[in-house]
Amino acid sequence: VEYDRVALFHRSGSSLIHFANTNGSGLIEDINISAGGSPDIRSFPGEMIRCVVRLDANTFVIALDDRIIRFDHTLQGITPIATGITANAMAYEPATGALYIAEGSTLLTIDQNSGSIVGSIATGSTIGHILTLLNR
């Protein structure tokens, strides 16, 4: 892969979706081993992808430099969720539908549909990763 990989997600037995950065811009690729042509499906000129989480088989939340967007692979469209947030890390908890975003030393809980901040916890140190409980 010629780009700086941010995240890879399995799509089918022969394809994956790749989120990467190149020359200061974010890029989404749909890589399929058996299909030819260009895998590029979306780019974000001048905006780096900081982190990505998957909500379901075709929906992803992407943190760009100062905004959070939802990407629908089927429609290949984006929907703004929130602005003014610089994410260090993200996690999605399917049990509650909560989207967790680390911004510096603060853990934000955001409604992934409306973009409303529904919770905030200051930790005192920079958050590098968010791990959710998966044994519910």
Side-chain angles (χ1 to χ4, degrees):
V1 176
E2 60 187 275
Y3 306 116
D4 295 326
R5 178 178 47 86
V6 176
L8 293 169
F9 296 95
H10 177 263
R11 296 238 340 112
S12 70
S14 62
S15 69
L16 59 90
I17 189 163
H18 178 227
F19 296 85
N21 291 310
T22 180
N23 298 321
S25 296
L27 175 68
I28 304 172
E29 295 182 304
D30 194 355
I31 300 174
N32 188 316
I33 327 173
S34 58
S38 172
D40 298 357
I41 56 175
R42 185 116 192 153
S43 65
F44 302 97
E47 293 182 283
M48 301 262 296
I49 296 174
R50 299 178 61 84
C51 44
V52 181
V53 293
R54 184 180 214 162
L55 301 182
D56 61 37
N58 292 305
T59 311
F60 303 85
V61 174
I62 304 169
L64 297 170
D65 288 330
D66 69 346
R67 64 186 178 126
I68 309 295
I69 61 171
R70 184 174 31 258
F71 172 70
D72 184 315
H73 182 270
T74 305
L75 302 174
Q76 294 188 2
I78 61 168
T79 304
I81 295 177
T83 58
I85 296 174
T86 303
N88 302 343
M90 288 194 307
Y92 174 65
E93 185 178 30
T96 63
L99 177 63
Y100 296 105
I101 298 177
E103 185 177 34
S105 61
T106 304
L107 179 65
L108 303 172
T109 306
I110 294 183
D111 180 305
Q112 52 103 358
N113 293 310
S114 69
S116 300
I117 297 174
V118 296
S120 175
I121 300 171
T123 63
S125 60
T126 302
I127 302 167
H129 297 281
I130 304 167
L131 304 173
T132 58
L133 296 174
L134 300 176
N135 63 345
R136 294 176 187 237

